[in-house]
Amino acid sequence: MKLYGTTTSPFVRRVRVVAAEVGATFEMINTAADDGQAALRRVSPIWKVPVAEMGERIIYDSRVIIDWLTTFHGWGDLRAPADRWRDANLVNAIDGALESGVQMFYLRREGLDPMTLPFGQRQLDRMAAIFEWLAGELELGPGGSGDGLGLPEISLLATLDWLDFRDVYPTAKHDAAFGALRAAHRERPSLATTRPLVS
Ligand SMILES: N[C@@H](CCC(=O)N[C@@H](CS)C(=O)NCC(=O)O)C(=O)O
């Protein structure tokens, strides 16, 4: 499998973590470089990463790529969804927070301060609302679903690490809810080897 992406993208990281967990190998095409970006645009009209290429088949979107990986490689030591509709809601909520953070980051990278606009505060408020809701839903802590690592947890951990890496949102506000989950999996090889890095 060829995986188009960057070493910083939290959406790409989910796929890298799942691939490592289920034992799928891939060749990374770095889309931060001009030639990688040109290659991405040849395979995807969306121009977003991750994109996976397996021979003739090209798949856009982290969730669909993960669906492909788990369909053909199983879940390995990951927790398979017990209720896929519930997990889908959790991952949708995490995506909502992450997309808000990504928009803030992109504006800042263009030299704009999103906090000078109502838009910026709205994104921060949405992120806070989502993380507060997730804190109740994920049942973290002893005896909670935090004992296992499923797609919602991987997505949340990649999101929190990326928000810290880009200094987009004060994730420490939610340490009481997510600190134990973060600590429990920090050294897990699939997560430890995929932390965001400037390429
Ligand atoms: N729904 C997509 C979101 C992917 C996404 O937003 N990727 C970002 C990088 S973190 C991207 O490629 N952004 C490029 C752009 O917006 O131009 C997925 O889950 O794969």
Side-chain angles (χ1 to χ4, degrees), residues 9-11 14 47-50 61-63 99 102 106:
S9 162
F11 289 104
R14 288 178 195 181
W47 301 357
K48 287 189 180 187
V49 291
D61 199 275
S62 58
R63 282 211 245 168
E99 279 157 12
V102 168
Y106 284 162

Side-chain angles (χ1 to χ4, degrees), residues 4-179:
Y4 295 75
T6 62
T7 51
T8 50
S9 162
F11 289 104
V12 174
R13 188 176 179 207
R14 288 178 195 181
V15 173
R16 293 164 70 207
V17 169
V18 172
E21 292 284 346
V22 304
T25 54
F26 59 87
E27 174 201 350
M28 185 103 170
I29 311 291
N30 179 10
T31 57
D34 289 347
D35 55 343
Q37 187 57 222
L40 170 70
R41 292 176 184 213
R42 282 195 294 273
V43 293
S44 166
I46 306 173
W47 301 357
K48 287 189 180 187
V49 291
V51 169
E53 186 178 356
M54 306 85 166
E56 297 282 290
R57 187 171 300 284
I58 292 169
I59 303 180
Y60 320 128
D61 199 275
S62 58
R63 282 211 245 168
V64 188
I65 299 168
I66 288 169
D67 206 3
W68 189 92
L69 285 171
T70 54
T71 299
F72 292 102
H73 293 265
W75 285 87
D77 288 336
L78 296 174
R79 199 192 63 243
D83 175 346
R84 58 182 289 210
W85 313 114
R86 177 172 182 275
D87 273 22
N89 276 348
L90 294 171
V91 178
N92 258 329
I94 295 161
D95 281 359
L98 181 52
E99 279 157 12
S100 285
V102 168
Q103 297 303 318
M104 302 269 281
F105 170 68
Y106 284 162
L107 275 185
R108 235 177 42 194
R109 203 169 56 176
E110 304 272 332
L112 298 170
D113 177 0
M115 295 313 290
T116 60
L117 305 165
F119 170 86
Q121 192 58 50
R122 203 161 57 240
Q123 306 316 309
L124 284 189
D125 291 347
R126 184 199 331 270
M127 285 188 261
I130 289 171
F131 291 134
E132 278 157 26
W133 176 79
L134 282 167
E137 288 293 317
L138 276 179
E139 299 165 27
L140 304 173
S145 60
D147 291 344
L149 190 68
L151 188 54
E153 289 81 10
I154 292 170
S155 304
L156 177 62
L157 292 169
T159 295
L160 295 171
D161 284 355
W162 182 85
L163 292 171
D164 287 346
F165 172 68
R166 293 303 193 189
D167 198 17
V168 168
Y169 178 90
T171 66
K173 247 173 69 171
H174 305 284
D175 272 353
F178 305 137

